[in-house]
Amino acid sequence: MTALRVLAIDTSGTNALVALAEPDGTLLAERRWPAGYRHGEELLTRIDEMLSDTGVPMAELGGIVVGTGPGAFTGLRVGLATAKALARGLGVPIAGVPTSEALLRAASLGGAVEGTHAVLLLPAGPSDRVVVAGGRARLVRGGDELDLGPDEVVVAVDLPGRAPQDALDRGATAEVGLSAALAELGVRRLASGGDDVARLVPEYVTLPRGVPVAKGEVRWSHDRR
């Protein structure tokens, strides 16, 4: 019997992706598109198209991997809700992978940050930015300079015109390799048991108006309880 494949989803940024991987994490297919704010309109269609093109029925998926951010509220909600619904409906395990971890892994695999300590730079609304390093994030207010160590190099994603060109180039490399890195990290987590679908939470960098944000930092929960 053929081993069941794994579906990976990430909707944390302006470019969304779905990917299909072997149980060992080897990438088989991917679909990437500029989703903007239309994640909910296109995500299921893109999944259906990819599975149809590769001849893999939905019922033969053996696991779901989903990027948990950091990212914007709407995109992450759509991605997490879709991934959870598929995992529940198919009765398969689910694994959440921080998109930041996958992007930095992709930048490393692509040679963009070889031999350096990389930090990820993401947008947090129209003027603020978020720096993610060592699994922790801090908010950089609009107009403030980045406070980086001498051995740190920036990987900037979704920040055209708001980050140095070399950082944007590293970010482009990271985005190209994101599907493969997400699948690689996701299947590892699935192999160790995955996540409780009811407790899997996203990591937001921007929240809807009226939702509180912790002063001076990004508020999200890494606690899966």
Side-chain angles (χ1 to χ4, degrees):
M1 180 178 177
T2 303
L4 299 178
R5 274 62 180 264
V6 173
L7 173 68
I9 298 169
D10 189 87
T11 55
S12 62
T14 56
N15 293 309
L17 70 84
V18 295
L20 188 66
E22 297 280 13
D24 65 358
T26 302
L27 193 66
L28 292 175
E30 68 174 338
R31 295 290 185 276
R32 298 168 53 86
W33 70 100
Y37 299 99
R38 304 184 307 279
H39 300 85
E41 300 173 25
E42 300 186 48
L43 182 55
L44 285 173
T45 298
R46 299 283 183 166
I47 293 172
D48 287 339
E49 288 176 351
M50 181 181 66
L51 294 179
S52 177
D53 289 347
T54 53
V56 177
M58 184 82 72
E60 292 186 7
L61 293 174
I64 308 294
V65 173
V66 60
T68 58
F73 184 82
T74 301
L76 280 174
R77 285 196 67 186
V78 170
L80 265 290
T82 301
K84 288 183 176 187
L86 289 173
R88 286 185 184 275
L90 297 171
V92 299
I94 188 171
V97 173
T99 310
S100 55
E101 182 181 349
L103 282 167
L104 290 175
R105 173 65 173 160
S108 176
L109 291 174
V113 293
E114 185 176 358
T116 61
H117 180 59
V119 299
L120 186 65
L121 189 65
L122 300 169
S127 58
D128 298 337
R129 295 166 294 171
V130 166
V131 175
V132 185
R136 301 181 65 85
R138 62 182 175 82
L139 190 65
V140 179
R141 297 294 185 185
D144 290 350
E145 295 294 325
L146 298 179
D147 182 16
L148 300 174
D151 63 337
E152 290 182 321
V153 63
V154 177
V155 178
V157 174
D158 281 347
L159 285 167
R162 297 169 59 190
Q165 188 58 50
D166 59 346
L168 293 171
D169 291 342
R170 296 185 196 101
T173 298
E175 288 196 276
V176 167
L178 178 56
S179 295
L182 189 66
E184 174 195 337
L185 297 173
V187 297
R188 290 183 194 173
R189 189 164 185 86
L190 287 172
S192 64
D195 291 290
D196 182 338
V197 68
R199 298 179 179 181
L200 186 58
V201 295
E203 305 167 356
Y204 300 124
V205 294
T206 56
L207 298 171
R209 186 173 299 172
V211 176
V213 177
K215 185 181 297 184
E217 62 184 67
V218 181
R219 172 187 263 179
W220 64 57
S221 175
H222 290 285
D223 188 340
R224 300 180 184 276
R225 290 178 294 178

